[in-house]
Amino acid sequence: MASDLQMSPQLEQIHGEIRDNFRALANGFQRLDKMKDSNRQSKQLEELTGKMRECKRLIKDLDREIKDEEARNPPEVNKRLNDEKQSMIKELNSYVALRKTYMNSLGNKKVELFDMGGASEPTADENVQMASAMSNQELIHAGNKTMDETDQAIERSKMVVEQTIEVGTQTAGTLKGQTDQMGRIVNELDTIQFSIKKASQLVKEIGRQVATDKCIMLFLFLIVCGVIAIIVVKIVNPSNKSIRDIPGLAPPAPARRLLSIPEGHGTF
């Protein structure tokens, strides 16, 4: 039926990939019938489960492409495309039911494919009966519902990833601001340390100048004291020749002595 369908290149590619996966599923289940080892059967079922998930994704992509091209295609073409999609959904559901049958035969009642909430799942026989009792429209609706639920789960995961990225960005910005602030603090500490070093050098210079000034004042004081001592000695003992006269200082005047006249002598 698909060979005479009018499809765009994108639809043909998706349709071909789905058919390739269906052929791989058919061959895989044929090999599974020939296997006797339960471990090999479990491994083969895991590989077939991956193929089924890939078929589910491709059928969803096919449905999107059909909806996008619906306005450009004639009604007859759209009807045949939808019928082909329904046929693929039925075929996929049959493989899902077959997989559950093999899982039950291996003693594993837990089915992971299309597990959308942890609710109890029907058995393989119930799935076959449900699929056969549903109309094409109901099958399409069920498939679309499952794909919509998958889309919602993906969107929730995207939101969590975006929130995580946002928190990481905010944390990185905060860390960058703190790093810049620490850099400014280090620069200020270096400036303060340099200022303290310069101040210490200045204090040392001032201390040396003060010590020099004190020495000069002490020498001046000693000189003044010496001059005063010489002056005092010169005044007290003017006949002391061991001390030279101080330039600019007149020698002390000799003491005046009054002449005494003996009694009985007249005046001149």
Side-chain angles (χ1 to χ4, degrees), residues 136-152:
N136 292 337
Q137 191 63 32
E138 289 174 343
L139 286 172
I140 294 174
H141 178 72
N144 290 335
K145 182 180 179 182
T146 302
M147 290 187 286
D148 291 339
E149 291 174 351
T150 304
D151 283 342
Q152 292 176 3

Side-chain angles (χ1 to χ4, degrees), residues 199-247:
S200 299
Q201 293 177 354
L202 183 61
V203 168
K204 290 180 181 179
E205 292 292 334
I206 293 174
R208 286 195 291 267
Q209 291 180 1
V210 169
T212 303
D213 294 340
K214 287 183 177 179
C215 291
I216 294 174
M217 292 178 66
L218 179 61
F219 287 138
L220 291 175
F221 177 74
L222 292 175
I223 293 171
V224 171
C225 291
V227 171
I228 293 173
I230 292 172
I231 293 173
V232 170
V233 170
K234 198 68 176 175
I235 293 174
V236 172
N237 189 9
S239 60
N240 189 355
K241 299 300 183 180
S242 61
I243 300 176
R244 299 178 59 185
D245 294 335
I246 299 174

Side-chain angles (χ1 to χ4, degrees), residues 156-170:
R156 288 193 296 270
S157 301
K158 287 182 179 179
M159 290 178 61
V160 172
V161 172
E162 290 175 357
Q163 292 175 358
T164 304
I165 293 174
E166 183 179 357
V167 172
T169 303
Q170 293 176 354

Side-chain angles (χ1 to χ4, degrees), residues 24-117:
L25 286 171
N27 295 329
F29 279 111
Q30 289 177 2
R31 291 194 300 269
L32 189 62
D33 290 333
K34 300 177 182 179
M35 293 180 182
K36 302 300 181 182
D37 186 20
S38 59
N39 291 329
R40 292 182 60 192
Q41 288 179 345
S42 298
K43 186 176 180 181
Q44 181 69 11
L45 282 175
E46 290 178 1
E47 294 178 0
L48 294 175
T49 301
K51 291 289 184 182
M52 294 179 198
R53 291 195 179 99
E54 181 67 14
C55 288
K56 175 185 172 182
R57 183 187 65 80
L58 291 171
I59 291 174
K60 186 174 180 180
D61 293 341
L62 182 69
D63 181 64
R64 289 176 179 172
E65 289 294 329
I66 292 174
K67 290 180 179 178
D68 291 340
E69 298 179 4
E70 187 174 6
R72 299 190 296 270
N73 293 331
E76 180 64 23
V77 174
N78 290 329
K79 182 178 182 304
R80 295 181 66 184
L81 289 174
N82 285 321
D83 291 341
E84 179 68 15
K85 181 185 67 176
Q86 293 168 15
S87 175
M88 289 180 173
I89 293 174
K90 284 184 178 181
E91 189 171 356
L92 178 60
N93 286 335
S94 67
Y95 285 123
V96 172
L98 186 59
R99 173 188 176 275
K100 290 181 179 179
T101 302
Y102 279 102
M103 293 291 289
N104 289 334
S105 66
L106 290 174
N108 187 355
K109 301 296 182 67
K110 183 178 179 181
V111 181
E112 298 176 355
L113 186 63
F114 305 134
D115 184 10
M116 301 304 297

